[in-house]
Amino acid sequence: MVTVSAARRRHPPLGRALAFLLLNLPLGIVSFTLITVLLSAGAGTLVVWLGVPLLGLLVLLARGAGRMERARVFSLLDTYVDSPYLPLPPTGQRARWTTRLKDGATWRDLSYFFLLFPVGLVEFVLVVTFWATSLGLVALPIYYRFLPEGAWYFPGYDVRWLTVDSTVSALPWAALGVLFVALSVALTRGLAALHGGLAVALLRPTVSQRRRMERSWQELDETSTVTG
C-alpha cells in the first residue's frame, strides 16, 4: 500500500534555509530556459515528428529533476515528499510512455519548475536585500572610516541627511542592524517554510494519484502472479 507523507519542521534550519533560497534563482533560470526552449522547439517541429523526441526529453527531464528537487527539499529543509509517480509497465516502450504522459505527477513537476524562476527571483531579491542591509548596518562602526571622506552618509553622498563619522554615531545604526538581522532570520525561515509548502503541494501525490498508484501496483502484482 502506498502512503503519502510530508513530514517537515515548522522552522527549517537557518543556514540550510538560506542556502536553499539562494539556490532557487539559478535553478529556476536553468529550468525555465530548458522548459521554454524544449517546449517551443518541440511544439513547433511536432508536425515533422522532430518535436516528438524533444518533448519526450522534456518529460524525462521534468521527472528526473522532480526526484532531485524532492531530495534537495529534504536535505535542506527537512521536508520529506513522497514520490508520486505511477509504476511503469515492465515491458513495452509505448505503454511506458503512455503511463508517463497520463501521470499527473509529470505535469505537476513541470508546473513547479516553471514557477521556480519567478518565485526564486522574489525570494533572492528579498533575502539578499535584507541580509545585505542587516550586515552592512551591524558592521558600520568598523568600516565607516574606510569609506570615501572617512564617513558614511545617509541616504547617499549626494544627499547627506545623516552623517556617520565616528564610532559613537555609528552605534545606533549598528543597533538598528541587529534588529534587521532578527527580521532577516525570520524572513529567511518564513520564505523557506512557504517554499517547502509549495514543494509539498506540487511534488507530492494527490489523493487521486495515490489511489491510482495503489491500483497500478495491485495490477502489476496480479500480472506477476499470473505470469509467474
Side-chain angles (χ1 to χ4, degrees):
M1 183 175 179
V2 180
T3 59
V4 179
S5 61
R8 54 175 173 155
R9 290 186 180 180
R10 187 174 181 180
H11 300 292
L14 178 60
R16 283 184 278 168
L18 184 60
F20 181 86
L21 294 173
L22 293 178
L23 283 173
N24 285 340
L25 180 58
L27 292 177
I29 292 174
V30 172
S31 62
F32 186 87
T33 301
L34 287 175
I35 291 173
T36 303
V37 171
L38 290 176
L39 186 60
S40 58
T45 58
L46 192 59
V47 67
V48 293
W49 296 101
L50 182 60
V52 173
L54 293 177
L55 294 177
L57 177 61
L58 178 60
V59 169
L60 293 178
L61 285 176
R63 290 166 68 94
R67 293 184 176 91
M68 294 178 63
E69 185 65 7
R70 291 180 192 90
R72 187 173 77 101
V73 170
F74 177 68
S75 62
L76 295 180
L77 301 184
D78 287 342
T79 300
Y80 178 75
V81 184
D82 271 337
S83 177
Y85 304 115
L86 295 173
L88 298 178
T91 58
Q93 286 299 321
R94 183 173 181 178
R96 294 169 71 89
W97 275 104
T98 300
T99 301
R100 291 189 184 100
L101 294 175
K102 289 184 177 181
D103 192 351
T106 300
W107 309 109
R108 290 158 68 87
D109 286 348
L110 275 173
S111 299
Y112 175 85
F113 286 106
F114 188 80
L115 292 173
L116 187 58
F117 171 58
V119 172
L121 178 61
V122 173
E123 293 170 344
F124 187 89
V125 170
L126 288 174
V127 168
V128 170
T129 300
F130 267 76
W131 278 105
T133 302
S134 304
L135 298 178
L137 290 175
V138 168
L140 186 59
I142 299 175
Y143 70 82
Y144 77 88
R145 57 180 58 87
F146 301 109
L147 297 175
E149 302 180 17
W152 178 78
Y153 301 100
F154 178 84
Y157 284 90
D158 296 332
V159 181
R160 303 181 178 184
W161 294 348
L162 297 171
T163 300
V164 173
D165 55 2
S166 66
T167 302
V168 173
S169 60
L171 289 179
W173 293 94
L176 181 61
V178 173
L179 175 61
F180 266 86
V181 168
L183 292 176
S184 299
V185 170
L187 176 72
T188 300
R189 287 180 168 171
L191 287 177
L194 287 174
H195 196 113
L198 175 66
V200 169
L202 290 180
L203 299 180
R204 74 174 179 182
T206 62
V207 174
S208 60
Q209 284 176 325
R210 180 177 65 176
R211 291 171 180 170
R212 290 182 62 192
M213 291 167 69
E214 291 174 349
R215 289 197 298 268
S216 298
W217 283 115
Q218 289 175 357
E219 291 172 0
L220 287 177
D221 290 340
E222 292 173 358
T223 302
S224 300
T225 302
V226 173
T227 57

